[in-house]
Amino acid sequence: MTTTFFLVRHAAHDNVGGFLAGRMPGVRLGVDGRAQAGRLAERMRRETFSRIYVSPRERAAETAAAIATVSPVPIEEAAELDEIEFGAWSGKDFATLNADPAWRHWNAWRSLARTPGGETMLDVERRAADFMETLVARFPEDALVLVSHADVIRALVGHVLGLALDLWQRFDISPASITTLIVGDWGARLLGVNEVVP
């Protein structure tokens, strides 16, 4: 018995890479992001999956909705897939953040440092991996799409590969990318990482 997970990062909002969106309300897909989501949906048409689980953020929900237009399956919101709680850092541009010693410490020691919202990457890994284990028990022979955020997906990949969370910068998780994992009673395997639809 094997469960397949398509880990999808949401498509781009208008200023992705310009500021830290975090859990700010109202951050939606921009024109480019909607086009990305459309291409991603066409790519996912080739796959068979039974449902989509999605982070509560608007940009993730819009990405999930695009996938469901070509592959109509149930969509369910999952708080476990939510973005990191960045607290006071949310909404700040990266130039401002890079001048903050606490931000630099967070990026150097993700396994130990806490955001102003109180999460470490270990916390993120735990909530996301526990959720994935719950889904494996519930859907032992299905394929599922999980629409989430870059660092949540990094945490899951690191969990499966046994990577230290402080090595998070060693691979990319691009907007509208697909990372594929399979999980069975024998363990877990990474089949593909950061597939970007041209």
Side-chain angles (χ1 to χ4, degrees), residues 11-15 28-39 62:
H13 59 79
D14 275 336
N15 198 13
R28 307 180 74 91
L29 300 185
V31 173
D32 290 343
R34 288 192 296 275
Q36 278 181 338
R39 293 191 300 273
E62 290 173 331

Side-chain angles (χ1 to χ4, degrees), residues 40-176:
L40 172 66
E42 285 300 321
R43 161 63 184 85
M44 291 305 296
R45 189 193 294 270
R46 303 195 322 241
E47 308 296 344
T48 301
F49 48 90
S50 63
R51 62 185 55 228
I52 300 169
Y53 288 92
V54 61
S55 157
R57 299 305 115 200
E58 291 98 329
R59 57 198 184 273
E62 290 173 331
T63 303
I67 295 169
T69 61
V70 297
S71 301
V73 298
I75 300 175
E76 187 172 333
E77 187 176 291
E80 296 89 345
L81 299 176
D82 204 353
E83 176 63 284
I84 296 170
E85 175 52 85
F86 286 110
W89 287 339
S90 295
K92 291 189 176 179
D93 63 78
F94 287 106
T96 300
L97 288 169
N98 288 331
D100 182 345
W103 171 258
R104 295 196 303 273
H105 181 67
W106 156 258
N107 285 310
W109 299 104
R110 288 276 180 104
S111 60
L112 300 174
R114 290 191 178 276
T115 69
E119 281 197 299
T120 67
M121 279 295 282
L122 287 171
D123 297 327
V124 175
E125 177 186 28
R126 188 174 301 112
R127 66 171 156 88
D130 286 352
F131 180 60
M132 197 164 66
E133 287 177 19
T134 299
L135 295 177
V136 169
R138 187 174 170 197
F139 303 104
E141 297 181 348
D142 282 26
L144 307 168
V145 174
L146 309 186
V147 182
S148 190
H149 305 270
D151 285 337
V152 179
I153 295 170
R154 281 190 178 106
L156 285 171
V157 170
H159 178 75
V160 166
L161 297 181
L163 293 178
L165 291 171
D166 298 327
L167 304 180
W168 66 277
Q169 291 182 324
R170 292 195 177 180
F171 60 94
D172 290 328
I173 300 294
S174 302

